[in-house]
Amino acid sequence: MTGYKVANGNGHSNGNGNTKGTNGTNGHSNGHKSADYTAQENPTMCSRDCCSGPGGSNRGNTCSDKKGAKAGSLTGEKIIPTPQSLLGNGKIQCELTHEELRALRVLNEDTYPYEVIEEIADFITKGSGMRPKIGIICGSGLGSLADMIQDPKIFEYEKIPNFPVSTVEGHAGRLVVGTLEGATVMAMQGRFHFYEGYPLAKCSMPVRVMKLCGVEYLFATNAAGGINPRFAVGDIMLMHDHVNMLGFAGNSPLQGPNDPRFGPRFPALVNSYNKDLINKAIEIAKAMGIESNIHVGVYSCLGGPNYETIAELKALRMMGVDAVGMSTVHEVITARHCDMKVFAFSLITNKCATEYSDKKDDEANHDEVMAVAKNRQKACCELVSRLIREIHLASA
Ligand SMILES: O=P(O)(O)O[C@@H]1C[C@H](O)[C@@H](CO)O1
Ligand SMILES: Nc1nc2[nH]cnc2c(=O)[nH]1
């Protein structure tokens, strides 16, 4: 115990009556919402050349031809665009061109229209001349897997239309398409996390791009803190299930209008992690002589960027969670929604303390996470590449 008394040694004081959410939102401020409000607050914004709307030649003036405007805007009444209206017949305040509407929806970014994702996928398949079968999302420090790809075609995220950019140290921010162990693959060197300020649908949008590029298998890796006391730093936990804490808080990458071209409105998530791939990975680990460092377990994603409190870690352990991180779950949900086969693992980069202590060493930190990931990247890369080889051989 550390300088203060906890009544029952469990570390909880029941003083939790003030934890209610304050604004009823999903908790992310994406910095782009203003695009909606500009449109709704300017009743004269239109797509024609007569006024101050986009492309208008008479900027700063108001439009006298308001035929396209909804009645509400003429009386000054506010019309709040909803996701349905944005995806519906395209009328927010007045007629927008298809391109303008799409730009608004992309900026609005909680929903990525199918057509935008299709365009990104075309950009990648045409630019690389390949239709990859396996998609890989490289977790923190494991980006070197993408460096093993042969004949790589590299796409910097910032050069891909409508793609977000990586903001985390250790995430390079590029997409690499090429061949690995005979299979055509596309690998994300750098993923998008909720804590970067991106809504979950944007974090996992690249999974849908992968799907439309032809990807059938999603491989996702992450760095995670080990909660299971049997786990050591440097171990690998093959994910066989997850606890979606962001989902408990009412947040999902599938929120908003469902496009059935990707998958059903209410997808089932039991058996999300492919058992055959888990079993093959265990066999490969045996052949590599790292069997004793391999576990099968349950991962949980929290929003981050802060690491967990002792009370949170105790609660997660009681829920059956073995490792905790800040990613992957929303990618897996998106992949399963569009019927991809999923294989995922956590590299245990730190042991999570579940007892109170004053020792600084017990605190997780990103430098340690990166250092362990660097040390273990050879084993992680070998495991993934050998598994990809098996998939390739089985389908040849
Ligand atoms: O992208 P992953 O899940 O590997 O990154 C983890 C979570 C945080 O970004 C970071 C914390 O140190 O590592
Ligand atoms: N949330 C979380 N993410 C991590 N990523 C690497 N280690 C950790 C950890 O202990 N907690």
Side-chain angles (χ1 to χ4, degrees), residues 108-355:
N108 190 46
E109 78 185 301
D110 282 4
T111 51
Y112 266 86
Y114 188 95
E115 294 73 20
V116 171
I117 295 184
E118 203 171 35
E119 265 182 25
I120 303 174
D122 279 356
F123 179 85
I124 290 157
T125 48
K126 288 194 181 119
S128 65
M130 284 178 251
R131 277 189 73 75
K133 189 169 173 189
I134 298 173
I136 307 164
I137 303 178
C138 305
S140 286
L142 296 173
S144 63
L145 182 71
D147 296 333
M148 295 164 60
I149 294 175
Q150 286 156 357
D151 304 320
K153 294 278 181 317
I154 294 170
F155 301 86
E156 305 289 338
Y157 289 167
E158 59 202 34
K159 303 223 172 98
I160 304 174
N162 293 315
F163 222 69
V165 290
S166 273
T167 67
V168 189
E169 198 194 329
H171 289 255
R174 52 193 212 156
L175 198 59
V176 183
V177 186
T179 314
L180 188 61
E181 298 292 336
T184 2
V185 300
M186 65 192 282
M188 288 179 71
Q189 258 183 331
R191 58 151 59 90
F192 307 110
H193 304 84
F194 190 62
Y195 64 75
E196 293 176 73
Y198 295 125
L200 289 180
K202 190 159 206 165
C203 293
S204 55
M205 177 274 285
V207 174
R208 289 185 164 176
V209 172
M210 288 178 176
K211 176 74 183 180
L212 298 193
C213 284
V215 166
E216 294 168 25
Y217 293 86
L218 178 73
F219 279 45
T221 77
N222 59 62
I227 308 182
N228 187 321
R230 290 189 301 112
F231 292 4
V233 169
D235 285 356
I236 291 171
M237 184 194 81
L238 309 177
M239 288 168 63
H240 84 98
D241 205 348
H242 67 233
V243 174
N244 179 12
M245 292 306 286
L246 296 176
F248 279 26
N251 210 337
S252 162
L254 306 181
Q255 249 160 17
N258 183 57
D259 191 325
R261 285 172 289 183
F262 286 117
R265 171 78 285 187
F266 301 109
L269 288 181
V270 287
N271 301 320
S272 282
Y273 299 85
N274 190 284
K275 287 196 183 72
D276 292 342
L277 294 176
I278 292 176
N279 286 329
K280 280 202 176 83
I282 293 170
E283 280 168 29
I284 291 168
K286 279 184 192 160
M288 285 169 63
I290 58 165
E291 194 190 351
S292 60
N293 301 109
I294 297 286
H295 310 276
V296 178
V298 176
Y299 172 87
S300 182
C301 167
L302 270 64
N306 54 285
Y307 295 107
E308 295 69 35
T309 66
I310 299 284
E312 285 163 351
L313 292 165
K314 280 173 185 269
L316 289 168
R317 187 67 197 132
M318 278 192 277
M319 289 164 73
V321 171
D322 297 296
V324 60
M326 305 177 195
S327 66
T328 310
V329 167
H330 40 277
E331 297 154 354
V332 171
I333 293 171
T334 306
R336 292 302 299 148
H337 180 242
C338 61
D339 203 26
M340 285 179 177
K341 294 189 178 77
V342 170
F343 172 76
F345 70 73
S346 300
L347 172 65
I348 305 302
T349 52
N350 52 292
K351 265 174 99 70
C352 293
T354 48
E355 294 302 331

Side-chain angles (χ1 to χ4, degrees), residues 42 44 50-52 58 60-64 66:
N42 178 359
T44 64
C50 56
C51 70
S52 56
N58 199 8
N61 287 350
T62 50
C63 178
S64 54
K66 297 187 179 100

